[in-house]
Amino acid sequence: MCIRDRYKDEYLKANLWGGQTVVPDWWNEKAATYWNTLIQNFRYNMTYFDGLWIDMNEVANHCLGECRNEYIPVDGYTNPPYIPGKTILDSYTISITTIHANGAREAEVHSLFGAMEAYITNKAVRGATGSYPFVLTRSSFPGTGRYAAHWSGDNLATWEFLRFSVAFLMNFNLFGIPMVGSDLCGFYGEATEELCGRWIQLGSLYPFMRNHKTIENQPQEF
């Protein structure tokens, strides 16, 4: 149901804000069944909702590949001849040498993880609510817009990132994800009153408009 450790007969361990965790394997049918059960229980026994926000699904990981005492690189996969960003490919994610339930290596399906979660979540929320759901995902892939909305991730409170958001919206429409937006006024950093006001004006034209801010900065709700 969850992704297995490549060296030991146990689930792969990752680390996020809540501490150590395991990662669902969306290429395992049992994961989709379990996810559906969790969403049904959340809707009927915990809180009423019409949609869900799925985050950190690149997969994000605060460990290097796996949470173990010693990092074990695999030549040819974690350290190929060309490395985007000049950083090993296991940085801040699960190991790309991990094997999924369908036999695919993580390196082959890494970019699809968020899209698979969006698809499975959309189906589960639709079953729980009986209506077309709203699902918001941080990680996506071309065509994900059929199942989820998307936002640009953690941006900065700068005029430059305000300008970036326009190109972002246009690009993701080309990728088949029309319901998109950026965090108004910036997620990191302190926005000036003028920057935030102008960003709200621009955001009124976003398909998806929201204000979202890290707890480390001053509140900017409106």
Side-chain angles (χ1 to χ4, degrees), residues 12-25:
L12 179 147
K13 294 181 178 63
N15 191 281
L16 289 172
W17 308 115
Q20 198 166 85
T21 184
V22 293
V23 181
D25 187 347

Side-chain angles (χ1 to χ4, degrees), residues 153-178:
D154 299 344
N155 57 357
L156 303 181
T158 66
W159 290 100
E160 184 179 32
F161 271 82
L162 180 149
R163 291 191 295 270
F164 285 164
S165 72
V166 177
F168 161 77
L169 264 64
M170 293 179 177
N171 285 334
F172 272 82
N173 271 264
L174 293 175
F175 301 153
I177 310 176

Side-chain angles (χ1 to χ4, degrees), residues 1-133:
M1 179 173 71
C2 293
I3 297 174
R4 309 291 299 185
D5 190 290
R6 57 185 167 134
Y7 296 110
K8 297 188 291 185
D9 186 24
E10 60 182 36
Y11 290 132
L12 179 147
K13 294 181 178 63
N15 191 281
L16 289 172
W17 308 115
Q20 198 166 85
T21 184
V22 293
V23 181
D25 187 347
W26 302 123
W27 286 266
N28 186 331
E29 292 183 2
K30 293 180 180 179
T33 301
Y34 179 65
W35 195 246
N36 182 71
T37 300
L38 290 179
I39 290 175
Q40 292 277 346
N41 180 65
F42 188 50
R43 177 67 153 52
Y44 294 115
N45 299 323
M46 300 180 70
T47 186
Y48 185 91
F49 65 85
D50 293 307
L52 289 178
W53 171 15
I54 48 179
D55 199 357
M56 310 293 285
N57 54 346
E58 288 79 17
V59 182
N61 181 16
H62 294 164
C63 295
L64 194 62
E66 295 120 346
C67 293
R68 58 175 72 251
N69 294 329
E70 180 183 2
Y71 175 64
I72 307 174
V74 179
D75 291 340
Y77 285 98
T78 55
N79 190 28
Y82 171 72
I83 304 177
K86 299 181 181 180
T87 304
I88 61 172
L89 301 184
D90 282 349
S91 293
Y92 297 103
T93 190
I94 61 174
S95 173
I96 64 167
T97 61
T98 298
I99 304 298
H100 289 271
N102 65 346
R105 194 179 295 270
E106 172 66 12
E108 300 165 337
V109 298
H110 177 80
S111 296
L112 292 169
F113 190 93
M116 285 291 290
E117 183 180 21
Y119 165 70
I120 291 170
T121 302
N122 180 292
K123 187 176 180 180
V125 175
R126 186 191 295 262
T129 63
S131 61
Y132 194 86

